[in-house]
């Protein structure tokens, strides 16, 4: 189990819900590759409304025609591990925004694995 405390880096990837990588959602591929790379964790958050570089508003409101809602994938780990993972994102993210910032991990405790 990965234990992480102190200084770390957070990479946040903003993409569209319908963005695909080989017929799978890009966010799913990012999470699976992050796990394979041994990163501390990754979470996907679905937005209810937003816009990006195209300035087109995406929303979940019933009367809207847009269904490509914004998605944010957040990964936190040590700087060297995050930087080593960035080439994966270069491959996967064709449209979107990738940001990197320093953070401090106060507490990171997972469940114990059951047999």
């Amino acid at each position: 189990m990965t234990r992480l405390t102190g200084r770390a880096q957070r990479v946040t990837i903003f993409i569209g819900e319908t963005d695909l990588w080989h017929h799978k959602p890009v966010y799913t591929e990012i999470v699976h590759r992050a796990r394979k790379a041994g990163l501390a964790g990754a979470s996907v958050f679905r937005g209810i409304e937003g816009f990006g570089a195209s300035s087109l508003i995406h929303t979940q409101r019933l009367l809207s025609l847009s269904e490509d809602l914004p998605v944010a994938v957040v990964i936190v780990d040590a700087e060297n591990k995050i930087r080593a993972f960035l080439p994966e994102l270069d491959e996967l993210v064709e449209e979107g925004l990738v940001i990197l910032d320093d953070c401090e991990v106060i507490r990171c405790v997972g469940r114990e694995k059951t047999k």
Side-chain angles (χ1 to χ4, degrees), residues 62-77:
L62 283 175
L63 299 177
S64 173
L65 297 177
S66 174
E67 294 182 9
D68 186 21
L69 294 174
V71 171
V73 182
V74 180
I75 304 169
V76 177
D77 209 320

Side-chain angles (χ1 to χ4, degrees), residues 1 6 16 33 52 60 73 75 78 90 92 110:
M1 182 182 322
R33 287 189 188 195
Q60 71 173 5
V73 182
I75 304 169
D90 285 339
L92 295 171

Side-chain angles (χ1 to χ4, degrees), residues 22-101:
H22 295 230
H23 309 290
K24 292 187 338 192
V26 170
Y27 59 85
T28 298
E29 186 66 17
I30 292 170
V31 168
H32 287 275
R33 287 189 188 195
R35 185 168 187 257
K36 184 177 179 184
L39 297 177
S43 296
V44 179
F45 301 94
R46 184 178 188 226
I48 59 172
E49 190 165 350
F51 73 93
S54 68
S55 293
L56 177 65
I57 292 182
H58 302 273
T59 182
Q60 71 173 5
R61 285 183 266 148
L62 283 175
L63 299 177
S64 173
L65 297 177
S66 174
E67 294 182 9
D68 186 21
L69 294 174
V71 171
V73 182
V74 180
I75 304 169
V76 177
D77 209 320
E79 179 179 1
N80 62 325
K81 292 178 86 174
I82 292 292
R83 292 206 178 269
F85 189 69
L86 294 178
E88 300 280 350
L89 299 178
D90 285 339
E91 180 183 356
L92 295 171
V93 179
E94 293 179 2
E95 293 180 1
L97 173 67
V98 178
I99 61 172
L100 186 63
D101 53 350

